[in-house]
Amino acid sequence: MKYSLSTALVCLSVAFASSIVSTSAQAKNTIASDKFRQLDEMLPTPNVYRTASGAPGHQYWQQQVDYQIDIKLDDQTQQLSGYETLTYTNNSPDTLRYIWLQLDQNKLKRNADAKLIKTTPPLKKVTYTGVRNMIETPKFDGGYNITKVTASSGKALNYVINGTMLRIDLPKALKSGKTTEFNVEWNYQLHEQKVLGGRSGYEYFKEDDNYLYEIASWFPRAVAYYDTMGWQNKQFLGRGEFTLEFGDYDVKITVPSDHIVAATGELQNASKVLTKTQRKRLKRAKTAKKPVLIVTVDEALANEKSRAKTTKTWHFKAKNVRDFAFASSRKFIWDAQGYQHGGTNTMAMSYYPNEGNPLWEKYSTEAIIHTMEQYSKYTFDYPYPVSISVNGPVGGMEYPMITFNGPRPTLNKKTGEKTYSRRTKYGLVGVIIHEVGHNYFPMIVNSDERQWTWMDEGLNTFLQFLAEQAWEEDYPSRRGDAANITSYMKSSNQVPIMTNSESILQFGNNAYGKPATALNILRETIMGRELFDFAFKEYAQRWKFKRPTPADFFRTMEDASAVDLDWFFRGWFYTTDHVDIALGDIHLYSADSQNPDTEEAWLRALENEKPEFISSLMNKGQWVRTQDRPELLDFYNEHDKFTATNAARNKYNASMKKLEQWQKDLLLTQSNFYLIDFENKGGLVMPIILDITYADGTNEHMKIPAEIWRQNSKKVSKLLIRDKEITALAIDSKWETADVNVNNNYWPARPIKSRFNLYKRKKKDMMRDYNEKLKSADDKGNEENEVN
């Protein structure tokens, strides 16, 4: 700690007037570097569709697309063929001459852009599955085979395919408020998901010669058309997911008659596809307190051995959904449990092969119900009639009412015993919470995934963190706590969160981890839980079954909380700055009493604190002249330089007569004035969370708002006036701001703890080093010979 004496009371009064001591660097701040500049110029101008408050405007609109689909799954050839009728309602104020459809399966065509732009990772160390994927991906020629596009009259329509997009040219322009209907017929080859990857596909079980299908993005779907984008027809390259319209679905799925089908929506023909016993179990599950097996383990194992030569058609209907997915296999065990709470009345259901047990029968349906219970607290009641979790080849993927989740136990082929690790258990619970949670974001709060991955993944990962923490005490969440994102925050290999989905670096950290952490910091540190939870729920309520943009989220959070968050969203979402707030110099001031006896004694004490110089120590006891000539000593040898003089005392007494009593009292104050410098080394402005320890053992906790940086974002000083002596200071001692370097957060400084490894050199390592030295010597000799 540095000690400095204030020699004039006027200096103290300046410090008193403001707790922030600014420097000349303030004048150098420009608009470009203003951390607190409002976001207005970066956000779209409010209008009749989207208001300045972040709510939908009074003329907000969105399109409606209804589907009637017949689909057939061929279990012999792993092919899918279908016929659909789309009814497109134009609710926009615009006239449409054409309609775009998404052909996401075209990503798997042999010459697809997604394959051509794929870069090569380092090949020094690659997994077997990685090499297999490299070899097989270019070989597989997937994608849609569009066989027919017709109007409702049956007349062929002109269409153009461009990569993963299909444009249908309408014979008559579709005016605002009008509806058109057309038909599409198609087929395509399914792929083995564990070989080629992706969000859907089949899994082959060699042991019992069976297939398990998880089918998504399987039909031509209407591209979203909305006010801020027009047609969202960016090509599907793999990362930027789906931007879709709400509609009603009527889907008939024809599969082998021994298959069990799980799908978006409600089953319409249970009497034709389920046995009487299964229907009774399903009815009982509606009010059960624990999951009820609709298809038991024994029934599923027996079913694996069958090979039906006939088919069944499963009929599903779903209202007001943006997509449709399904799963089918003869291997499925099926359990279900009803869940009713508030406005929610649904069936939580799990479908899994026996390979998933004992994990799946214990955790899957329970995790579904837990997710709806927790997410509804912060958003809205789950509105759909079913919520499904399916175990198959896809590690984790979400669709309306149905999710695909991958973790399974490990089978010991020698003993036949199945075991699972801690990572697998929590991986399963976590991925189910995450994927079921996607029903809220983006399946209901319908953001543009093709453009902004963070709007669904980031918000959902945040809620996943809250739900995980409510699952059990000290749940090992991967993302959410601020300390878990610091390594990413200080890395140079990153881009801002507000980056298009296809251009993101470190995808998981950027689109999932960082925005989730940002929201948790907002909730716990910036806004507080009460204000945050109200504002976040307001956003969810405003935009359920609608399509929000980032501006709508930013504006709603401010509108519903009365907290200016532009600085936070600017720093966390638009930059790659990180948090690194450091303690700088610490000065201790005390009031100059102006009394010469008091002040000279203070100076003497300060002088005595200095170490004695080395020469003085070495000269102790040596002869000096005044030993023999004491007459050379005088008044100044009897009194040190800190002795007050009568002249100084007279001047002091005269000055005191001119002061009022309150001024005299200030001269006698015993308070300590601590001037503490804080440095922003990371660039991201944040509140300064300060813990103070006093000499008497007591503590004080301070939270200084981020606005302290508003005039100088690099360095600020804070004046603390305390009667007690401060013995220690700590910034962000609970690690709540994602500070990347906590070692500069403490006074006195703390040692940086680490460990080193001891090892015994192996003979082969010694020989290798010896050979490298010989080679180095030979190379050096060759170079010298060349020079000579």
Side-chain angles (χ1 to χ4, degrees):
M1 181 180 283
K2 295 186 177 180
Y3 293 85
S4 176
L5 179 66
S6 174
T7 57
L9 189 60
V10 64
C11 296
L12 235 172
S13 65
V14 172
F16 233 125
S18 173
S19 64
I20 301 173
V21 177
S22 302
T23 69
S24 60
Q26 294 173 352
K28 298 179 181 179
N29 276 337
T30 63
I31 288 177
S33 63
D34 182 3
K35 307 288 186 179
F36 290 87
R37 184 171 174 80
Q38 297 295 284
L39 285 177
D40 292 348
E41 77 277 11
M42 302 179 74
L43 302 180
T45 303
N47 52 43
V48 294
Y49 310 125
R50 299 171 190 272
T51 69
S53 69
H58 66 278
Q59 293 185 34
Y60 175 84
W61 57 268
Q62 61 189 27
Q63 308 292 58
Q64 166 99 8
V65 187
D66 301 327
Y67 298 82
Q68 188 171 343
I69 310 175
D70 285 276
I71 191 80
K72 182 179 181 181
L73 171 63
D74 191 327
D75 192 37
Q76 298 300 314
T77 62
Q78 287 69 58
Q79 287 188 332
L80 209 62
S81 56
Y83 181 89
E84 67 179 357
T85 298
L86 285 81
T87 303
Y88 191 100
T89 301
N90 181 17
N91 293 319
S92 79
D94 309 321
T95 298
L96 305 178
R97 295 177 48 245
Y98 46 81
I99 292 174
W100 284 99
L101 302 183
Q102 301 184 51
L103 303 180
D104 297 315
Q105 292 298 327
N106 283 5
K107 171 182 171 288
L108 294 173
K109 281 187 172 293
R110 182 165 289 143
N111 62 346
D113 287 352
K115 291 183 179 181
L116 295 174
I117 66 173
K118 193 172 182 179
T119 56
T120 304
L123 295 179
K124 187 175 182 180
K125 190 176 183 181
V126 189
T127 63
Y128 289 104
T129 54
V131 173
R132 182 173 64 170
N133 179 272
M134 293 177 192
I135 294 171
E136 297 298 330
T137 296
K139 293 181 182 178
F140 185 78
D141 192 13
Y144 286 104
N145 177 26
I146 303 295
T147 56
K148 189 184 295 184
V149 179
T150 62
S152 57
S153 63
K155 183 178 179 181
L157 293 175
N158 184 60
Y159 66 92
V160 174
I161 295 176
N162 176 23
T164 59
M165 294 291 160
L166 181 152
R167 191 191 73 230
I168 295 178
D169 298 327
L170 300 176
K172 182 181 178 181
L174 185 63
K175 294 184 178 180
S176 177
K178 299 299 181 180
T179 297
T180 189
E181 190 176 281
F182 54 89
N183 312 301
V184 181
E185 186 176 89
W186 77 96
N187 60 73
Y188 72 91
Q189 179 66 48
L190 297 168
H191 70 276
E192 188 172 359
Q193 197 278 341
K194 288 188 178 294
V195 175
L196 301 184
R199 294 168 175 83
S200 66
Y202 66 81
E203 179 179 6
Y204 177 63
F205 294 82
K206 185 178 180 180
E207 293 78 6
D208 51 67
D209 190 29
N210 271 301
Y211 292 86
L212 189 159
Y213 301 90
E214 290 181 324
I215 309 299
S217 305
W218 52 275
F219 60 100
R221 302 174 295 176
V223 168
Y225 182 83
Y226 67 104
D227 57 299
T228 65
M229 179 64 69
W231 290 109
Q232 175 46 293
N233 53 9
K234 290 181 181 293
Q235 294 289 328
F236 179 48
L237 300 177
R239 276 192 168 176
E241 289 182 326
F242 314 114
T243 311
L244 302 161
E245 304 287 9
F246 286 108
D248 298 336
Y249 284 72
D250 188 328
V251 181
K252 295 177 180 177
I253 306 169
T254 300
V255 297
S257 57
D258 53 3
H259 271 218
I260 295 293
V261 176
T264 299
E266 289 185 286
L267 181 62
Q268 302 296 302
N269 62 337
S271 62
K272 294 184 178 180
V273 296
L274 301 181
T275 66
K276 186 176 181 180
T277 300
Q278 290 168 344
R279 297 197 301 274
K280 285 183 177 179
R281 292 168 178 169
L282 202 56
K283 184 177 181 181
R284 181 159 54 90
K286 191 72 176 175
T287 55
K289 300 301 181 184
K290 291 184 177 181
V292 174
L293 285 169
I294 314 304
V295 176
T296 68
V297 175
D298 291 341
E299 290 168 346
L301 291 175
N303 209 28
E304 287 181 0
K305 300 171 184 176
S306 68
R307 289 296 181 274
K309 295 182 179 180
T310 59
T311 62
K312 285 183 180 178
T313 298
W314 296 61
H315 184 194
F316 296 89
K317 286 186 178 180
K319 289 186 175 297
N320 205 22
V321 294
R322 59 169 240 163
D323 201 358
F324 192 104
F326 70 95
S328 182
S329 179
R330 61 177 56 88
K331 290 176 67 67
F332 278 143
I333 302 164
W334 173 13
D335 72 48
Q337 181 182 342
Y339 173 68
Q340 298 84 30
H341 185 270
T344 297
N345 185 8
T346 192
M347 283 285 279
M349 302 192 289
S350 298
Y351 298 74
Y352 45 95
N354 191 49
E355 285 80 356
N357 276 335
L359 265 178
W360 274 74
E361 63 188 1
K362 185 174 184 178
Y363 292 114
S364 178
T365 298
E366 194 71 43
I368 296 171
I369 293 173
H370 178 75
T371 304
M372 293 186 290
E373 176 184 273
Q374 295 302 314
Y375 274 58
S376 296
K377 291 180 182 178
Y378 305 104
T379 56
F380 42 76
D381 290 333
Y382 182 79
Y384 291 132
V386 298
S387 183
I388 296 170
S389 171
V390 180
N391 179 232
V394 178
M397 194 57 205
E398 72 281 357
Y399 304 94
M401 307 188 215
I402 186 169
T403 61
F404 302 156
N405 304 298
R408 286 179 190 154
T410 300
L411 174 66
N412 186 321
K413 293 185 178 180
K414 290 183 178 180
T415 64
E417 183 183 4
K418 286 188 284 187
T419 59
Y420 57 85
S421 65
R422 173 185 175 88
R423 180 176 180 179
T424 300
K425 170 194 169 179
Y426 288 109
L428 176 63
V429 174
V431 75
I432 292 175
I433 291 174
H434 183 89
E435 304 306 341
V436 172
H438 270 307
N439 277 284
Y440 296 79
F441 303 92
M443 300 303 153
I444 297 172
V445 180
N446 185 26
S447 58
D448 183 345
E449 293 183 88
R450 188 63 51 90
Q451 183 68 25
W452 307 115
T453 297
W454 71 267
M455 285 200 73
D456 71 291
E457 297 295 358
L459 271 62
N460 185 46
T461 302
F462 162 68
L463 288 176
Q464 175 190 349
F465 173 71
L466 299 185
E468 287 174 345
Q469 296 306 302
W471 176 270
E472 70 182 35
E473 191 172 354
D474 297 325
Y475 185 100
S477 296
R478 291 174 55 225
R479 294 174 171 133
D481 284 319
N484 293 345
I485 200 67
T486 54
S487 294
Y488 168 73
M489 294 283 284
K490 65 184 178 183
S491 71
S492 58
N493 184 35
Q494 60 169 307
V495 293
I497 292 174
M498 289 292 289
T499 298
N500 176 261
S501 301
E502 296 296 344
S503 301
I504 292 172
L505 302 177
Q506 298 199 56
F507 196 78
N509 283 322
N510 177 284
Y512 294 66
K514 186 178 177 181
T517 305
L519 295 182
N520 195 45
I521 291 173
L522 270 183
R523 183 173 188 254
E524 303 288 18
T525 303
I526 309 298
M527 301 171 69
R529 292 188 174 188
E530 182 179 4
L531 284 176
F532 179 92
D533 289 351
F534 179 86
F536 190 86
K537 192 166 190 174
E538 179 67 16
Y539 167 73
Q541 295 276 356
R542 284 178 174 183
W543 289 98
K544 64 180 178 180
F545 297 112
K546 295 180 177 67
R547 180 176 290 110
T549 65
D552 301 316
F553 176 70
F554 297 153
R555 285 168 168 159
T556 295
M557 293 303 292
E558 291 189 330
D559 179 73
S561 68
V563 180
D564 182 359
L565 298 172
D566 282 25
W567 63 270
F568 185 87
F569 293 132
R570 178 185 291 278
W572 277 83
F573 288 77
Y574 287 89
T575 78
T576 57
D577 290 345
H578 59 264
V579 182
D580 184 7
I581 299 174
L583 276 169
D585 291 338
I586 301 169
H587 299 264
L588 173 59
Y589 290 83
S590 56
D592 186 336
S593 68
Q594 300 185 18
N595 184 327
D597 290 300
T598 301
E599 295 309 312
E600 294 296 346
W602 187 86
L603 288 171
R604 182 183 295 110
L606 201 63
E607 181 73 13
N608 290 336
E609 290 181 7
K610 295 179 181 179
E612 192 168 0
F613 297 149
I614 184 64
S615 294
S616 296
L617 288 172
M618 298 298 290
N619 291 338
K620 290 289 187 183
Q622 75 173 15
W623 176 86
V624 293
R625 177 167 293 278
T626 53
Q627 288 177 345
D628 297 336
R629 304 286 296 274
E631 66 273 14
L632 297 177
L633 299 173
D634 64 4
F635 170 86
Y636 293 105
N637 296 104
E638 296 176 8
H639 302 277
D640 63 20
K641 63 180 180 180
F642 302 110
T643 301
T645 65
N646 288 329
R649 292 187 182 99
N650 293 334
K651 184 179 179 182
Y652 165 72
N653 291 330
S655 66
M656 289 298 101
K657 294 178 181 179
K658 300 177 182 178
L659 297 180
E660 297 181 28
Q661 186 58 47
W662 65 270
Q663 293 172 318
K664 294 178 182 179
D665 292 341
L666 281 179
L667 290 173
L668 299 177
T669 182
Q670 298 299 307
S671 295
N672 299 308
F673 292 73
Y674 291 94
L675 195 60
I676 305 170
D677 293 339
F678 299 96
E679 299 175 25
N680 180 3
K681 295 178 177 290
L684 203 58
V685 294
M686 289 291 281
I688 299 174
I689 302 169
L690 190 64
D691 284 293
I692 306 167
T693 301
Y694 294 101
D696 63 2
T698 59
N699 298 283
E700 180 184 358
H701 181 76
M702 289 184 67
K703 184 184 290 184
I704 305 169
E707 282 76 9
I708 192 173
W709 304 100
R710 68 194 185 280
Q711 294 178 353
N712 185 345
S713 62
K714 295 182 179 180
K715 182 179 179 181
V716 294
S717 298
K718 180 74 178 175
L719 180 65
L720 302 181
I721 304 172
R722 299 293 186 270
D723 292 334
K724 296 184 289 187
E725 178 188 353
I726 294 176
T727 57
L729 296 170
I731 298 175
D732 193 13
S733 61
K734 298 293 188 294
W735 293 6
E736 55 185 290
T737 66
D739 195 314
V740 305
N741 181 13
V742 297
N743 295 314
N744 57 23
N745 288 8
Y746 297 97
W747 175 84
R750 297 183 177 182
I752 301 173
K753 296 180 180 180
S754 186
R755 286 180 180 267
F756 58 86
N757 293 321
L758 295 173
Y759 71 96
K760 187 176 181 179
R761 293 185 68 185
K762 296 179 181 179
K763 186 176 290 186
K764 64 178 183 179
D765 295 329
M766 296 173 68
M767 289 300 298
R768 184 193 60 209
D769 294 345
Y770 176 72
N771 291 331
E772 286 179 354
K773 288 180 179 179
L774 286 178
K775 184 177 183 301
S776 177
D778 290 342
D779 291 342
K780 185 176 181 181
N782 291 334
E783 290 175 4
E784 290 176 350
N785 291 334
E786 289 176 5
V787 171
N788 294 332

